[in-house]
Amino acid sequence: MTSTRIDARFAALAAEGRPALVTFVTAGDPDPDTSLALVKALPAAGADVIELGMPFSDPMADGPAIQAAGLRALKAGQTLAKTLALVRAFREGDDTTPLVLMGYYNPIYNYGVERFVAEAKESGVDGLIVVDLPPEEDEELCLPALRGGLNFVRLATPTTDEKRLPAVLANTSGFVYYVSVNGITGTAAPDTARVAEAVGRIKRHTALPVAVGFGVRTAEQAAAIGENADGVVVGSAIVAAIAGSLDAEDRATERTLSAVTSLVTALARGVREARRDAAA
């Protein structure tokens, strides 16, 4: 498989000696135009990698904030085709920021795997995170995605033991996403010491970068996690910032864009200070 934007970005940041800030927003939240404006604004605010959620009506791994974002997006008419169109529009002005689609298999299956992989690659998607496809189902999407030139990013969790880890890592590419807490997104804060231990354990099995997510909400947490991880993933806090800026009918306001960019700027400052503090 040829090198992707994800590979290039993590390599560049490793050379800088700092972790990546990986930001998550839901495609189409709170409406298509605002969503595109938000995604376009993320790199300038400090995002190194963008995860774009594919809205789904039954998001079993997501907490209340991201569930609500998905429902807002679906209500506003977001579809998988429109999500790919959003990526194409983003790529018109940004050909370097890695972009990963994150979600569930059902919408992809209904769209058609071969069609989805081809259109995702053509639109400028770099990788996929599909949370409900275990390694035993790699023929469904993982292997077609890899053959199509897309990274397939797998999740490892606190319950992924030494016996299971090689299977999880077997066809993973781009980076490994370590889920720092058990349960759904955005509901608990990660234990920094345990995260450091887990990242070290995963790195004994793979040369891939390890990004840590679930529960990171502040610049201080991002800095602490970033001392050991190659990337820090923030989703629920950003989605909550969007929700907090909306009006009573869940429509975007003049505060929506700045609510997100100010938070991302603070988080970016945290990850940029992480390794410097560790080395001081």
mmCIF file with all atom_site columns, all heavy atoms in Angstrom, residues 60-88:
data_model
loop_
_atom_site.group_PDB
_atom_site.id
_atom_site.type_symbol
_atom_site.label_atom_id
_atom_site.label_alt_id
_atom_site.label_comp_id
_atom_site.label_asym_id
_atom_site.label_entity_id
_atom_site.label_seq_id
_atom_site.pdbx_PDB_ins_code
_atom_site.Cartn_x
_atom_site.Cartn_y
_atom_site.Cartn_z
_atom_site.occupancy
_atom_site.B_iso_or_equiv
_atom_site.pdbx_formal_charge
_atom_site.auth_seq_id
_atom_site.auth_comp_id
_atom_site.auth_asym_id
_atom_site.auth_atom_id
_atom_site.pdbx_PDB_model_num
ATOM 1   N N   . MET A 1 60 ? -24.029 2.758  18.663 1.00 0.00 ? 60 MET A N   1
ATOM 2   C CA  . MET A 1 60 ? -23.951 2.075  19.959 1.00 0.00 ? 60 MET A CA  1
ATOM 3   C C   . MET A 1 60 ? -22.706 2.409  20.768 1.00 0.00 ? 60 MET A C   1
ATOM 4   O O   . MET A 1 60 ? -22.720 2.287  21.992 1.00 0.00 ? 60 MET A O   1
ATOM 5   C CB  . MET A 1 60 ? -24.025 0.569  19.741 1.00 0.00 ? 60 MET A CB  1
ATOM 6   C CG  . MET A 1 60 ? -22.921 0.029  18.870 1.00 0.00 ? 60 MET A CG  1
ATOM 7   S SD  . MET A 1 60 ? -23.159 -1.722 18.503 1.00 0.00 ? 60 MET A SD  1
ATOM 8   C CE  . MET A 1 60 ? -21.725 -2.041 17.483 1.00 0.00 ? 60 MET A CE  1
ATOM 9   N N   . ALA A 1 61 ? -21.619 2.836  20.125 1.00 0.00 ? 61 ALA A N   1
ATOM 10  C CA  . ALA A 1 61 ? -20.398 3.129  20.880 1.00 0.00 ? 61 ALA A CA  1
ATOM 11  C C   . ALA A 1 61 ? -20.296 4.587  21.302 1.00 0.00 ? 61 ALA A C   1
ATOM 12  O O   . ALA A 1 61 ? -19.348 4.967  21.975 1.00 0.00 ? 61 ALA A O   1
ATOM 13  C CB  . ALA A 1 61 ? -19.167 2.753  20.047 1.00 0.00 ? 61 ALA A CB  1
ATOM 14  N N   . ASP A 1 62 ? -21.262 5.394  20.902 1.00 0.00 ? 62 ASP A N   1
ATOM 15  C CA  . ASP A 1 62 ? -21.182 6.833  21.151 1.00 0.00 ? 62 ASP A CA  1
ATOM 16  C C   . ASP A 1 62 ? -22.012 7.256  22.347 1.00 0.00 ? 62 ASP A C   1
ATOM 17  O O   . ASP A 1 62 ? -23.096 6.731  22.590 1.00 0.00 ? 62 ASP A O   1
ATOM 18  C CB  . ASP A 1 62 ? -21.639 7.610  19.906 1.00 0.00 ? 62 ASP A CB  1
ATOM 19  C CG  . ASP A 1 62 ? -20.689 7.415  18.738 1.00 0.00 ? 62 ASP A CG  1
ATOM 20  O OD1 . ASP A 1 62 ? -19.474 7.475  18.982 1.00 0.00 ? 62 ASP A OD1 1
ATOM 21  O OD2 . ASP A 1 62 ? -21.153 7.195  17.606 1.00 0.00 ? 62 ASP A OD2 1
ATOM 22  N N   . GLY A 1 63 ? -21.476 8.241  23.061 1.00 0.00 ? 63 GLY A N   1
ATOM 23  C CA  . GLY A 1 63 ? -22.176 8.809  24.194 1.00 0.00 ? 63 GLY A CA  1
ATOM 24  C C   . GLY A 1 63 ? -23.217 9.828  23.765 1.00 0.00 ? 63 GLY A C   1
ATOM 25  O O   . GLY A 1 63 ? -23.425 10.071 22.566 1.00 0.00 ? 63 GLY A O   1
ATOM 26  N N   . PRO A 1 64 ? -23.873 10.464 24.744 1.00 0.00 ? 64 PRO A N   1
ATOM 27  C CA  . PRO A 1 64 ? -24.990 11.368 24.435 1.00 0.00 ? 64 PRO A CA  1
ATOM 28  C C   . PRO A 1 64 ? -24.640 12.517 23.495 1.00 0.00 ? 64 PRO A C   1
ATOM 29  O O   . PRO A 1 64 ? -25.439 12.866 22.622 1.00 0.00 ? 64 PRO A O   1
ATOM 30  C CB  . PRO A 1 64 ? -25.395 11.886 25.819 1.00 0.00 ? 64 PRO A CB  1
ATOM 31  C CG  . PRO A 1 64 ? -24.941 10.835 26.776 1.00 0.00 ? 64 PRO A CG  1
ATOM 32  C CD  . PRO A 1 64 ? -23.689 10.257 26.187 1.00 0.00 ? 64 PRO A CD  1
ATOM 33  N N   . ALA A 1 65 ? -23.450 13.098 23.646 1.00 0.00 ? 65 ALA A N   1
ATOM 34  C CA  . ALA A 1 65 ? -23.102 14.270 22.823 1.00 0.00 ? 65 ALA A CA  1
ATOM 35  C C   . ALA A 1 65 ? -23.019 13.904 21.349 1.00 0.00 ? 65 ALA A C   1
ATOM 36  O O   . ALA A 1 65 ? -23.595 14.585 20.488 1.00 0.00 ? 65 ALA A O   1
ATOM 37  C CB  . ALA A 1 65 ? -21.782 14.868 23.295 1.00 0.00 ? 65 ALA A CB  1
ATOM 38  N N   . ILE A 1 66 ? -22.317 12.809 21.040 1.00 0.00 ? 66 ILE A N   1
ATOM 39  C CA  . ILE A 1 66 ? -22.150 12.432 19.640 1.00 0.00 ? 66 ILE A CA  1
ATOM 40  C C   . ILE A 1 66 ? -23.427 11.808 19.087 1.00 0.00 ? 66 ILE A C   1
ATOM 41  O O   . ILE A 1 66 ? -23.761 11.986 17.910 1.00 0.00 ? 66 ILE A O   1
ATOM 42  C CB  . ILE A 1 66 ? -20.922 11.517 19.479 1.00 0.00 ? 66 ILE A CB  1
ATOM 43  C CG1 . ILE A 1 66 ? -19.656 12.319 19.814 1.00 0.00 ? 66 ILE A CG1 1
ATOM 44  C CG2 . ILE A 1 66 ? -20.835 10.948 18.067 1.00 0.00 ? 66 ILE A CG2 1
ATOM 45  C CD1 . ILE A 1 66 ? -18.368 11.526 19.762 1.00 0.00 ? 66 ILE A CD1 1
ATOM 46  N N   . GLN A 1 67 ? -24.174 11.094 19.917 1.00 0.00 ? 67 GLN A N   1
ATOM 47  C CA  . GLN A 1 67 ? -25.488 10.610 19.481 1.00 0.00 ? 67 GLN A CA  1
ATOM 48  C C   . GLN A 1 67 ? -26.376 11.772 19.053 1.00 0.00 ? 67 GLN A C   1
ATOM 49  O O   . GLN A 1 67 ? -27.020 11.726 17.998 1.00 0.00 ? 67 GLN A O   1
ATOM 50  C CB  . GLN A 1 67 ? -26.167 9.831  20.607 1.00 0.00 ? 67 GLN A CB  1
ATOM 51  C CG  . GLN A 1 67 ? -25.640 8.427  20.813 1.00 0.00 ? 67 GLN A CG  1
ATOM 52  C CD  . GLN A 1 67 ? -26.533 7.602  21.725 1.00 0.00 ? 67 GLN A CD  1
ATOM 53  O OE1 . GLN A 1 67 ? -27.719 7.885  21.875 1.00 0.00 ? 67 GLN A OE1 1
ATOM 54  N NE2 . GLN A 1 67 ? -25.971 6.576  22.325 1.00 0.00 ? 67 GLN A NE2 1
ATOM 55  N N   . ALA A 1 68 ? -26.407 12.819 19.877 1.00 0.00 ? 68 ALA A N   1
ATOM 56  C CA  . ALA A 1 68 ? -27.246 13.984 19.566 1.00 0.00 ? 68 ALA A CA  1
ATOM 57  C C   . ALA A 1 68 ? -26.775 14.662 18.285 1.00 0.00 ? 68 ALA A C   1
ATOM 58  O O   . ALA A 1 68 ? -27.596 15.117 17.473 1.00 0.00 ? 68 ALA A O   1
ATOM 59  C CB  . ALA A 1 68 ? -27.217 14.971 20.733 1.00 0.00 ? 68 ALA A CB  1
ATOM 60  N N   . ALA A 1 69 ? -25.450 14.732 18.083 1.00 0.00 ? 69 ALA A N   1
ATOM 61  C CA  . ALA A 1 69 ? -24.916 15.339 16.861 1.00 0.00 ? 69 ALA A CA  1
ATOM 62  C C   . ALA A 1 69 ? -25.360 14.551 15.634 1.00 0.00 ? 69 ALA A C   1
ATOM 63  O O   . ALA A 1 69 ? -25.735 15.140 14.607 1.00 0.00 ? 69 ALA A O   1
ATOM 64  C CB  . ALA A 1 69 ? -23.392 15.395 16.933 1.00 0.00 ? 69 ALA A CB  1
ATOM 65  N N   . GLY A 1 70 ? -25.321 13.227 15.733 1.00 0.00 ? 70 GLY A N   1
ATOM 66  C CA  . GLY A 1 70 ? -25.754 12.401 14.618 1.00 0.00 ? 70 GLY A CA  1
ATOM 67  C C   . GLY A 1 70 ? -27.220 12.597 14.291 1.00 0.00 ? 70 GLY A C   1
ATOM 68  O O   . GLY A 1 70 ? -27.609 12.672 13.115 1.00 0.00 ? 70 GLY A O   1
ATOM 69  N N   . LEU A 1 71 ? -28.026 12.709 15.332 1.00 0.00 ? 71 LEU A N   1
ATOM 70  C CA  . LEU A 1 71 ? -29.462 12.936 15.112 1.00 0.00 ? 71 LEU A CA  1
ATOM 71  C C   . LEU A 1 71 ? -29.721 14.309 14.486 1.00 0.00 ? 71 LEU A C   1
ATOM 72  O O   . LEU A 1 71 ? -30.573 14.441 13.607 1.00 0.00 ? 71 LEU A O   1
ATOM 73  C CB  . LEU A 1 71 ? -30.218 12.789 16.427 1.00 0.00 ? 71 LEU A CB  1
ATOM 74  C CG  . LEU A 1 71 ? -30.276 11.362 16.993 1.00 0.00 ? 71 LEU A CG  1
ATOM 75  C CD1 . LEU A 1 71 ? -30.943 11.358 18.366 1.00 0.00 ? 71 LEU A CD1 1
ATOM 76  C CD2 . LEU A 1 71 ? -31.021 10.428 16.039 1.00 0.00 ? 71 LEU A CD2 1
ATOM 77  N N   . ARG A 1 72 ? -28.977 15.321 14.930 1.00 0.00 ? 72 ARG A N   1
ATOM 78  C CA  . ARG A 1 72 ? -29.117 16.653 14.320 1.00 0.00 ? 72 ARG A CA  1
ATOM 79  C C   . ARG A 1 72 ? -28.761 16.592 12.837 1.00 0.00 ? 72 ARG A C   1
ATOM 80  O O   . ARG A 1 72 ? -29.453 17.171 11.991 1.00 0.00 ? 72 ARG A O   1
ATOM 81  C CB  . ARG A 1 72 ? -28.210 17.676 15.028 1.00 0.00 ? 72 ARG A CB  1
ATOM 82  C CG  . ARG A 1 72 ? -28.665 18.112 16.396 1.00 0.00 ? 72 ARG A CG  1
ATOM 83  C CD  . ARG A 1 72 ? -27.911 19.342 16.884 1.00 0.00 ? 72 ARG A CD  1
ATOM 84  N NE  . ARG A 1 72 ? -26.480 19.136 17.025 1.00 0.00 ? 72 ARG A NE  1
ATOM 85  C CZ  . ARG A 1 72 ? -25.879 18.731 18.140 1.00 0.00 ? 72 ARG A CZ  1
ATOM 86  N NH1 . ARG A 1 72 ? -26.604 18.466 19.230 1.00 0.00 ? 72 ARG A NH1 1
ATOM 87  N NH2 . ARG A 1 72 ? -24.572 18.594 18.187 1.00 0.00 ? 72 ARG A NH2 1
ATOM 88  N N   . ALA A 1 73 ? -27.671 15.895 12.533 1.00 0.00 ? 73 ALA A N   1
ATOM 89  C CA  . ALA A 1 73 ? -27.230 15.799 11.141 1.00 0.00 ? 73 ALA A CA  1
ATOM 90  C C   . ALA A 1 73 ? -28.249 15.056 10.284 1.00 0.00 ? 73 ALA A C   1
ATOM 91  O O   . ALA A 1 73 ? -28.576 15.487 9.169  1.00 0.00 ? 73 ALA A O   1
ATOM 92  C CB  . ALA A 1 73 ? -25.867 15.111 11.082 1.00 0.00 ? 73 ALA A CB  1
ATOM 93  N N   . LEU A 1 74 ? -28.768 13.937 10.790 1.00 0.00 ? 74 LEU A N   1
ATOM 94  C CA  . LEU A 1 74 ? -29.760 13.174 10.036 1.00 0.00 ? 74 LEU A CA  1
ATOM 95  C C   . LEU A 1 74 ? -31.024 13.999 9.816  1.00 0.00 ? 74 LEU A C   1
ATOM 96  O O   . LEU A 1 74 ? -31.610 13.978 8.730  1.00 0.00 ? 74 LEU A O   1
ATOM 97  C CB  . LEU A 1 74 ? -30.081 11.869 10.768 1.00 0.00 ? 74 LEU A CB  1
ATOM 98  C CG  . LEU A 1 74 ? -28.951 10.833 10.808 1.00 0.00 ? 74 LEU A CG  1
ATOM 99  C CD1 . LEU A 1 74 ? -29.312 9.689  11.744 1.00 0.00 ? 74 LEU A CD1 1
ATOM 100 C CD2 . LEU A 1 74 ? -28.635 10.297 9.412  1.00 0.00 ? 74 LEU A CD2 1
ATOM 101 N N   . LYS A 1 75 ? -31.419 14.726 10.848 1.00 0.00 ? 75 LYS A N   1
ATOM 102 C CA  . LYS A 1 75 ? -32.605 15.585 10.737 1.00 0.00 ? 75 LYS A CA  1
ATOM 103 C C   . LYS A 1 75 ? -32.400 16.665 9.679  1.00 0.00 ? 75 LYS A C   1
ATOM 104 O O   . LYS A 1 75 ? -33.346 17.070 8.983  1.00 0.00 ? 75 LYS A O   1
ATOM 105 C CB  . LYS A 1 75 ? -32.909 16.223 12.097 1.00 0.00 ? 75 LYS A CB  1
ATOM 106 C CG  . LYS A 1 75 ? -34.196 17.028 12.140 1.00 0.00 ? 75 LYS A CG  1
ATOM 107 C CD  . LYS A 1 75 ? -34.434 17.592 13.534 1.00 0.00 ? 75 LYS A CD  1
ATOM 108 C CE  . LYS A 1 75 ? -35.691 18.456 13.574 1.00 0.00 ? 75 LYS A CE  1
ATOM 109 N NZ  . LYS A 1 75 ? -35.914 19.039 14.930 1.00 0.00 ? 75 LYS A NZ  1
ATOM 110 N N   . ALA A 1 76 ? -31.153 17.124 9.545  1.00 0.00 ? 76 ALA A N   1
ATOM 111 C CA  . ALA A 1 76 ? -30.840 18.158 8.552  1.00 0.00 ? 76 ALA A CA  1
ATOM 112 C C   . ALA A 1 76 ? -30.622 17.568 7.158  1.00 0.00 ? 76 ALA A C   1
ATOM 113 O O   . ALA A 1 76 ? -30.288 18.301 6.220  1.00 0.00 ? 76 ALA A O   1
ATOM 114 C CB  . ALA A 1 76 ? -29.603 18.933 8.986  1.00 0.00 ? 76 ALA A CB  1
ATOM 115 N N   . GLY A 1 77 ? -30.792 16.233 7.029  1.00 0.00 ? 77 GLY A N   1
ATOM 116 C CA  . GLY A 1 77 ? -30.740 15.614 5.711  1.00 0.00 ? 77 GLY A CA  1
ATOM 117 C C   . GLY A 1 77 ? -29.407 15.017 5.321  1.00 0.00 ? 77 GLY A C   1
ATOM 118 O O   . GLY A 1 77 ? -29.198 14.678 4.147  1.00 0.00 ? 77 GLY A O   1
ATOM 119 N N   . GLN A 1 78 ? -28.501 14.843 6.290  1.00 0.00 ? 78 GLN A N   1
ATOM 120 C CA  . GLN A 1 78 ? -27.191 14.291 5.941  1.00 0.00 ? 78 GLN A CA  1
ATOM 121 C C   . GLN A 1 78 ? -27.296 12.828 5.527  1.00 0.00 ? 78 GLN A C   1
ATOM 122 O O   . GLN A 1 78 ? -28.013 12.038 6.146  1.00 0.00 ? 78 GLN A O   1
ATOM 123 C CB  . GLN A 1 78 ? -26.229 14.434 7.129  1.00 0.00 ? 78 GLN A CB  1
ATOM 124 C CG  . GLN A 1 78 ? -24.773 14.150 6.784  1.00 0.00 ? 78 GLN A CG  1
ATOM 125 C CD  . GLN A 1 78 ? -24.149 15.225 5.902  1.00 0.00 ? 78 GLN A CD  1
ATOM 126 O OE1 . GLN A 1 78 ? -24.725 16.289 5.711  1.00 0.00 ? 78 GLN A OE1 1
ATOM 127 N NE2 . GLN A 1 78 ? -22.986 14.955 5.359  1.00 0.00 ? 78 GLN A NE2 1
ATOM 128 N N   . THR A 1 79 ? -26.584 12.479 4.461  1.00 0.00 ? 79 THR A N   1
ATOM 129 C CA  . THR A 1 79 ? -26.503 11.109 3.965  1.00 0.00 ? 79 THR A CA  1
ATOM 130 C C   . THR A 1 79 ? -25.034 10.764 3.751  1.00 0.00 ? 79 THR A C   1
ATOM 131 O O   . THR A 1 79 ? -24.158 11.638 3.810  1.00 0.00 ? 79 THR A O   1
ATOM 132 C CB  . THR A 1 79 ? -27.235 10.955 2.622  1.00 0.00 ? 79 THR A CB  1
ATOM 133 O OG1 . THR A 1 79 ? -26.577 11.810 1.653  1.00 0.00 ? 79 THR A OG1 1
ATOM 134 C CG2 . THR A 1 79 ? -28.703 11.358 2.734  1.00 0.00 ? 79 THR A CG2 1
ATOM 135 N N   . LEU A 1 80 ? -24.751 9.506  3.479  1.00 0.00 ? 80 LEU A N   1
ATOM 136 C CA  . LEU A 1 80 ? -23.370 9.118  3.205  1.00 0.00 ? 80 LEU A CA  1
ATOM 137 C C   . LEU A 1 80 ? -22.870 9.802  1.933  1.00 0.00 ? 80 LEU A C   1
ATOM 138 O O   . LEU A 1 80 ? -21.710 10.229 1.865  1.00 0.00 ? 80 LEU A O   1
ATOM 139 C CB  . LEU A 1 80 ? -23.272 7.593  3.088  1.00 0.00 ? 80 LEU A CB  1
ATOM 140 C CG  . LEU A 1 80 ? -21.870 6.984  3.069  1.00 0.00 ? 80 LEU A CG  1
ATOM 141 C CD1 . LEU A 1 80 ? -20.993 7.531  4.186  1.00 0.00 ? 80 LEU A CD1 1
ATOM 142 C CD2 . LEU A 1 80 ? -21.953 5.471  3.139  1.00 0.00 ? 80 LEU A CD2 1
ATOM 143 N N   . ALA A 1 81 ? -23.701 9.910  0.928  1.00 0.00 ? 81 ALA A N   1
ATOM 144 C CA  . ALA A 1 81 ? -23.312 10.603 -0.304 1.00 0.00 ? 81 ALA A CA  1
ATOM 145 C C   . ALA A 1 81 ? -22.970 12.061 -0.021 1.00 0.00 ? 81 ALA A C   1
ATOM 146 O O   . ALA A 1 81 ? -21.993 12.607 -0.571 1.00 0.00 ? 81 ALA A O   1
ATOM 147 C CB  . ALA A 1 81 ? -24.431 10.513 -1.335 1.00 0.00 ? 81 ALA A CB  1
ATOM 148 N N   . LYS A 1 82 ? -23.753 12.708 0.845  1.00 0.00 ? 82 LYS A N   1
ATOM 149 C CA  . LYS A 1 82 ? -23.472 14.108 1.188  1.00 0.00 ? 82 LYS A CA  1
ATOM 150 C C   . LYS A 1 82 ? -22.196 14.234 2.014  1.00 0.00 ? 82 LYS A C   1
ATOM 151 O O   . LYS A 1 82 ? -21.492 15.244 1.932  1.00 0.00 ? 82 LYS A O   1
ATOM 152 C CB  . LYS A 1 82 ? -24.661 14.717 1.940  1.00 0.00 ? 82 LYS A CB  1
ATOM 153 C CG  . LYS A 1 82 ? -25.870 14.967 1.059  1.00 0.00 ? 82 LYS A CG  1
ATOM 154 C CD  . LYS A 1 82 ? -26.995 15.620 1.839  1.00 0.00 ? 82 LYS A CD  1
ATOM 155 C CE  . LYS A 1 82 ? -28.193 15.895 0.934  1.00 0.00 ? 82 LYS A CE  1
ATOM 156 N NZ  . LYS A 1 82 ? -29.322 16.521 1.686  1.00 0.00 ? 82 LYS A NZ  1
ATOM 157 N N   . THR A 1 83 ? -21.887 13.213 2.815  1.00 0.00 ? 83 THR A N   1
ATOM 158 C CA  . THR A 1 83 ? -20.639 13.228 3.581  1.00 0.00 ? 83 THR A CA  1
ATOM 159 C C   . THR A 1 83 ? -19.440 13.160 2.643  1.00 0.00 ? 83 THR A C   1
ATOM 160 O O   . THR A 1 83 ? -18.441 13.880 2.816  1.00 0.00 ? 83 THR A O   1
ATOM 161 C CB  . THR A 1 83 ? -20.608 12.060 4.583  1.00 0.00 ? 83 THR A CB  1
ATOM 162 O OG1 . THR A 1 83 ? -21.678 12.237 5.521  1.00 0.00 ? 83 THR A OG1 1
ATOM 163 C CG2 . THR A 1 83 ? -19.289 12.001 5.331  1.00 0.00 ? 83 THR A CG2 1
ATOM 164 N N   . LEU A 1 84 ? -19.521 12.311 1.624  1.00 0.00 ? 84 LEU A N   1
ATOM 165 C CA  . LEU A 1 84 ? -18.445 12.245 0.633  1.00 0.00 ? 84 LEU A CA  1
ATOM 166 C C   . LEU A 1 84 ? -18.342 13.555 -0.149 1.00 0.00 ? 84 LEU A C   1
ATOM 167 O O   . LEU A 1 84 ? -17.227 14.000 -0.477 1.00 0.00 ? 84 LEU A O   1
ATOM 168 C CB  . LEU A 1 84 ? -18.673 11.065 -0.308 1.00 0.00 ? 84 LEU A CB  1
ATOM 169 C CG  . LEU A 1 84 ? -18.590 9.679  0.342  1.00 0.00 ? 84 LEU A CG  1
ATOM 170 C CD1 . LEU A 1 84 ? -18.983 8.597  -0.656 1.00 0.00 ? 84 LEU A CD1 1
ATOM 171 C CD2 . LEU A 1 84 ? -17.203 9.407  0.897  1.00 0.00 ? 84 LEU A CD2 1
ATOM 172 N N   . ALA A 1 85 ? -19.473 14.186 -0.408 1.00 0.00 ? 85 ALA A N   1
ATOM 173 C CA  . ALA A 1 85 ? -19.460 15.488 -1.087 1.00 0.00 ? 85 ALA A CA  1
ATOM 174 C C   . ALA A 1 85 ? -18.797 16.551 -0.215 1.00 0.00 ? 85 ALA A C   1
ATOM 175 O O   . ALA A 1 85 ? -18.087 17.439 -0.708 1.00 0.00 ? 85 ALA A O   1
ATOM 176 C CB  . ALA A 1 85 ? -20.885 15.911 -1.454 1.00 0.00 ? 85 ALA A CB  1
ATOM 177 N N   . LEU A 1 86 ? -19.018 16.466 1.100  1.00 0.00 ? 86 LEU A N   1
ATOM 178 C CA  . LEU A 1 86 ? -18.375 17.389 2.042  1.00 0.00 ? 86 LEU A CA  1
ATOM 179 C C   . LEU A 1 86 ? -16.859 17.233 1.966  1.00 0.00 ? 86 LEU A C   1
ATOM 180 O O   . LEU A 1 86 ? -16.118 18.226 1.963  1.00 0.00 ? 86 LEU A O   1
ATOM 181 C CB  . LEU A 1 86 ? -18.893 17.118 3.454  1.00 0.00 ? 86 LEU A CB  1
ATOM 182 C CG  . LEU A 1 86 ? -18.508 18.073 4.589  1.00 0.00 ? 86 LEU A CG  1
ATOM 183 C CD1 . LEU A 1 86 ? -19.490 17.920 5.754  1.00 0.00 ? 86 LEU A CD1 1
ATOM 184 C CD2 . LEU A 1 86 ? -17.098 17.842 5.111  1.00 0.00 ? 86 LEU A CD2 1
ATOM 185 N N   . VAL A 1 87 ? -16.400 15.983 1.907  1.00 0.00 ? 87 VAL A N   1
ATOM 186 C CA  . VAL A 1 87 ? -14.957 15.743 1.808  1.00 0.00 ? 87 VAL A CA  1
ATOM 187 C C   . VAL A 1 87 ? -14.406 16.344 0.520  1.00 0.00 ? 87 VAL A C   1
ATOM 188 O O   . VAL A 1 87 ? -13.348 17.000 0.526  1.00 0.00 ? 87 VAL A O   1
ATOM 189 C CB  . VAL A 1 87 ? -14.645 14.229 1.871  1.00 0.00 ? 87 VAL A CB  1
ATOM 190 C CG1 . VAL A 1 87 ? -13.154 13.980 1.664  1.00 0.00 ? 87 VAL A CG1 1
ATOM 191 C CG2 . VAL A 1 87 ? -15.101 13.646 3.202  1.00 0.00 ? 87 VAL A CG2 1
ATOM 192 N N   . ARG A 1 88 ? -15.116 16.151 -0.586 1.00 0.00 ? 88 ARG A N   1
ATOM 193 C CA  . ARG A 1 88 ? -14.661 16.722 -1.855 1.00 0.00 ? 88 ARG A CA  1
ATOM 194 C C   . ARG A 1 88 ? -14.569 18.242 -1.772 1.00 0.00 ? 88 ARG A C   1
ATOM 195 O O   . ARG A 1 88 ? -13.601 18.841 -2.255 1.00 0.00 ? 88 ARG A O   1
ATOM 196 C CB  . ARG A 1 88 ? -15.604 16.316 -3.000 1.00 0.00 ? 88 ARG A CB  1
ATOM 197 C CG  . ARG A 1 88 ? -15.345 14.915 -3.535 1.00 0.00 ? 88 ARG A CG  1
ATOM 198 C CD  . ARG A 1 88 ? -16.100 14.662 -4.831 1.00 0.00 ? 88 ARG A CD  1
ATOM 199 N NE  . ARG A 1 88 ? -17.537 14.541 -4.596 1.00 0.00 ? 88 ARG A NE  1
ATOM 200 C CZ  . ARG A 1 88 ? -18.156 13.412 -4.283 1.00 0.00 ? 88 ARG A CZ  1
ATOM 201 N NH1 . ARG A 1 88 ? -17.458 12.291 -4.158 1.00 0.00 ? 88 ARG A NH1 1
ATOM 202 N NH2 . ARG A 1 88 ? -19.453 13.380 -4.099 1.00 0.00 ? 88 ARG A NH2 1
#
